[in-house]
Amino acid sequence: MAINIRQLHPHFVAEVDGVDLSRPLGAETIKTLNDAINRYSVLVFHGQSLDDDQLLALGRTFGSVAPPRNHRAGHRLQHAEIADISNLNVKNEVRARDDSRRLDSLGNQLWHSDASFRPISGALSMLHAHVVPPSGGDTLFADLRAAYDELDDETKELIEGLITEHSIFNSRGQLGHTDYTDAERAALPSVRHPLVRVHSGSKRKTLYMGSHASHIIGWPQPEGRLLLRDLMEHATQQRFVHAHKWQVGDLVLWDNRCTLHRGTRYNDAKYRRDLRRVTTQDMDSVQDNPELVAAS
Ligand code: OGA
Ligand code: MN
């Protein structure tokens, strides 16, 4: 079956037909998909039926899959490498309102780039929908290469070479969720990444930031925070944003190196939402935090 690619947004995002992601992909298909990722950043596949083994195998086709953070509540899924993007607990019941895992995952509704708080940040994420709510719970994507292109020259000059500090506790703290132990905090120290990067697959410049990013190294805190807020406001204007409305069987693949994403609210007390994700490591980021990478 021929692969068909159709762009969904003026800047980025494409729908891909004619690929069964549950089976091993041939070299030619992988090349076609990698080219499409580099061009469109976000690929949407419909009608995909993958079990967790197949999702993990798909992730490994594109790189080294890093497991998500450990959570106190235990893991509902079999593979430690699969992120449980659901509102369900280990008993497969909807989580209680004050469940710490629920409060932690509400942070996914802030604009972010997966694993930007890690010494080796996230490259490609693949999120697959098993159960979706009847309304709400969309995922929004923002194009950081297009946002960079539209900055004025003065701003481009100002931000060139700046280094940003990222921490998971910054994004969670913004929502007032600070219920983490000293050991949990010590396990995830702050990391540094460049604010402007060259996206290796396209050689285009991109912003790199999100809610895990707190401030600019070497700048007074308020000044760095304000700059990041201004850039976030710029990059998440409607013209850079695409909304994905989930259907069961959708698999969305995105490039965390040049996009931001966030979930949107839904009635998580009433409806079940069960999505599962794998994320590959961005080997270009290994050099950002040499001491932390060496220690891990
Ligand atoms: C993710 C994520 C948002 C959503 O899976 O990384 O941020 O809509 N998901 O669930
Ligand atoms: Mn995410």
Side-chain angles (χ1 to χ4, degrees):
M1 195 172 166
I3 297 181
N4 193 40
I5 298 175
R6 185 170 71 93
Q7 188 164 350
L8 297 183
H9 181 279
H11 288 304
F12 71 144
V13 189
E15 188 177 77
V16 183
D17 292 324
V19 186
D20 178 356
L21 297 173
S22 70
R23 295 157 170 262
L25 304 175
E28 209 174 308
T29 301
I30 294 171
K31 162 110 181 47
T32 302
L33 295 181
N34 272 320
D35 289 348
I37 293 163
N38 291 330
R39 166 66 189 85
Y40 300 107
S41 301
V42 181
L43 302 183
V44 176
F45 303 84
H46 299 292
Q48 300 291 325
S49 163
L50 283 79
D51 63 23
D52 288 354
D53 292 341
Q54 290 165 323
L55 180 62
L56 185 52
L58 176 69
R60 289 181 173 149
T61 305
F62 288 96
S64 154
V65 173
R69 287 178 293 140
N70 287 326
H71 294 278
R72 283 170 239 173
H75 203 58
R76 186 175 65 95
L77 308 175
Q78 240 174 30
H79 296 286
E81 295 90 341
I82 296 186
D84 185 1
I85 308 297
S86 78
N87 61 332
L88 307 173
N89 63 23
V90 278
K91 290 188 240 157
N92 255 323
E93 298 158 344
V94 167
R95 289 179 194 135
R97 191 171 192 181
D98 62 355
D99 184 317
S100 74
R101 180 74 193 270
R102 170 177 183 267
L103 302 178
D104 178 274
S105 32
L106 288 175
N108 280 340
Q109 293 181 35
L110 298 174
W111 287 108
H112 65 281
S113 171
D114 288 336
S116 82
F117 56 87
R118 298 249 186 215
I120 304 177
S121 50
L124 303 178
S125 285
M126 288 149 248
L127 183 60
H128 184 231
H130 288 243
V131 180
V132 301
S135 62
D138 301 343
T139 305
L140 309 182
F141 294 92
D143 183 345
L144 293 181
R145 292 184 297 189
Y148 177 85
D149 289 345
E150 290 193 29
L151 291 172
D152 58 57
D153 289 343
E154 205 177 314
T155 307
K156 284 181 180 164
E157 206 174 304
L158 173 74
I159 64 178
E160 188 65 33
L162 295 182
I163 306 291
T164 309
E165 185 165 304
H166 296 244
S167 164
I168 187 72
F169 305 109
N170 185 63
S171 56
R172 273 46 188 171
Q174 283 178 45
L175 296 181
H177 185 54
T178 54
D179 172 27
Y180 299 96
T181 64
D182 289 348
E184 284 166 334
R185 288 176 188 278
L188 291 166
S190 298
V191 303
R192 297 173 173 202
H193 295 296
L195 177 57
V196 179
R197 306 173 105 169
V198 176
H199 178 257
S200 56
S202 60
K203 307 293 178 230
R204 287 178 61 191
K205 279 195 174 174
T206 180
L207 290 165
Y208 186 71
M209 56 188 184
S211 60
H212 305 312
S214 57
H215 62 281
I216 305 294
I217 303 295
W219 278 31
Q221 285 257 359
E223 199 180 345
R225 280 182 186 251
L226 272 175
L227 174 65
L228 290 173
R229 280 170 79 133
D230 281 352
L231 292 172
M232 288 293 292
E233 212 170 284
H234 165 73
T236 56
Q237 295 175 85
Q238 270 309 314
R239 69 179 186 280
F240 301 124
V241 171
H242 173 82
H244 179 72
K245 293 193 178 301
W246 290 95
Q247 293 174 286
V248 171
D250 284 353
L251 188 144
V252 180
L253 184 162
W254 66 87
D255 190 338
N256 289 290
R257 296 166 296 190
C258 54
T259 58
L260 291 171
H261 64 280
R262 55 164 291 212
T264 62
R265 194 155 37 79
Y266 68 104
N267 188 340
D268 68 341
K270 186 166 176 191
Y271 301 118
R272 299 165 77 88
R273 184 174 189 261
D274 184 348
L275 280 69
R276 302 174 189 192
R277 169 168 62 76
V278 287
T279 298
T280 66
Q281 291 185 304
D282 174 13
M283 289 311 169
D284 292 338
S285 73
V286 167
Q287 64 204 30
D288 297 351
N289 301 274
E291 303 83 10
L292 290 173
V293 171
S296 66

